[in-house]
């Protein structure tokens, strides 16, 4: 006996990378017909649900509209399945705060210039910073030997130097970005893939 009830979408979650966010869910299986979905949002301090711009869509994801690109807002999201005149119960995602819940990618290494005792590195952040953002770059570097010893440095500028290196020697480094958030903590980004460069001969 097929149930007249349409199941709610499962696995409702926000995927957020470099502050670009979308709501995703698993498709609702039905015997026949095609299921459509409608997603809503509201902010933590406002009771009213609003359209996300994804009403009656066959897709199982919905990008955030521009008015939700506020990093510190607590955002509540819900989605339901629809089949003809039938609608499922709403399925809710966990509350989302971009500043806490986004994943920051690795910074982009734009150029590396080698001198005999240093590497000069120019990077750019993985997202467009807002005015007033405090970013720092956490650099791990090591001599490319059989038993490398890792050293670390932290820089707040996008152009910085790894110094006190040996000449004509291969060094590798990996960088992650850290963003200071409202709570005073640092949101840590992903490490860049290690890159190796040889210092110059003096």
């Amino acid at each position: 006996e097929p149930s007249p009830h349409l199941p709610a979408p499962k696995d409702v979650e926000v995927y957020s990378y470099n502050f670009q966010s979308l709501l995703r869910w698993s498709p609702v299986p039905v015997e026949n017909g095609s299921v459509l979905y409608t997603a809503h949002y509201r902010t933590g301090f406002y009771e009213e649900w609003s359209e996300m711009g994804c009403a009656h869509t066959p897709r199982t994801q919905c990008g955030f509209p521009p008015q939700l690109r506020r990093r510190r807002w607590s955002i509540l999201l819900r989605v339901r399945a629809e089949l003809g005149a039938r609608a499922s119960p709403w399925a809710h995602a966990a509350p989302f705060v971009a500043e806490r819940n986004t994943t920051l990618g690795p910074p982009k290494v734009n150029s590396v210039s080698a001198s005999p005792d240093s590497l000069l590195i120019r990077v750019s952040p993985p997202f467009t910073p807002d005015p007033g953002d405090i970013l720092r770059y956490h650099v791990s570097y090591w001599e490319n030997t059989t038993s490398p010893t890792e050293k670390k440095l932290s820089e707040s500028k996008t152009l910085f130097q790894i110094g006190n290196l040996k000449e004509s020697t291969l060094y590798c480094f990996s960088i992650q970005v850290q963003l200071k958030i409202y709570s005073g903590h640092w949101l840590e980004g992903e490490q860049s893939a290690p890159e190796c460069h040889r210092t110059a001969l003096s």
Side-chain angles (χ1 to χ4, degrees), residues 190-201:
E190 297 172 330
Q191 291 276 355
S192 66
E195 218 177 279
C196 303
H197 295 264
R198 190 175 292 280
T199 49
L201 195 57

Side-chain angles (χ1 to χ4, degrees), residues 136-179:
R136 67 182 181 198
Y137 297 91
H138 198 65
V139 188
S140 305
Y141 65 98
W142 58 95
E143 193 182 326
N144 196 16
T145 57
T146 45
S147 53
T149 333
E150 191 174 83
K151 296 182 179 168
K152 294 187 186 311
L153 65 112
S154 206
E155 291 288 343
S156 57
K157 298 186 287 299
T158 52
L159 178 67
F160 51 81
Q161 196 170 41
I162 302 177
N164 299 328
L165 305 181
K166 298 181 202 162
E167 63 177 318
S168 192
T169 304
L170 193 62
Y171 286 91
C172 304
F173 63 84
S174 171
I175 310 173
Q176 69 169 171
V177 71
Q178 296 173 327
L179 170 69

Side-chain angles (χ1 to χ4, degrees), residues 14-62:
V14 175
Y15 171 75
S16 183
Y17 194 73
N18 292 331
F19 297 110
Q20 301 294 315
S21 309
L22 49 88
L23 182 66
R24 307 195 289 202
W25 55 89
S26 298
V28 171
V30 292
E31 291 292 310
N32 47 26
S34 57
V35 178
L36 300 177
Y37 304 93
T38 292
H40 288 171
Y41 74 88
R42 73 181 182 84
T43 56
F45 53 85
Y46 197 60
E47 291 299 305
E48 198 89 356
W49 289 95
S50 304
E51 290 275 338
M52 268 180 90
C54 300
H56 322 302
T57 175
R59 298 177 62 194
T60 54
Q61 61 180 50
C62 180

Side-chain angles (χ1 to χ4, degrees), residues 41-111:
Y41 74 88
R42 73 181 182 84
T43 56
F45 53 85
Y46 197 60
E47 291 299 305
E48 198 89 356
W49 289 95
S50 304
E51 290 275 338
M52 268 180 90
C54 300
H56 322 302
T57 175
R59 298 177 62 194
T60 54
Q61 61 180 50
C62 180
F64 279 29
Q67 62 270 29
L68 285 192
R69 300 215 177 112
R70 295 280 195 285
R71 295 186 192 165
R72 290 178 189 156
W73 285 7
S74 178
I75 296 166
L76 307 173
L77 301 140
R78 68 181 188 178
V79 61
R80 72 178 184 188
E82 296 156 353
L83 185 63
R86 287 157 42 194
S88 77
W90 291 101
H92 293 258
F96 173 78
V97 180
E99 194 176 66
R100 286 204 301 264
N101 305 127
T102 199
T103 300
L104 296 181
K108 181 171 184 287
V109 177
N110 297 319
S111 65

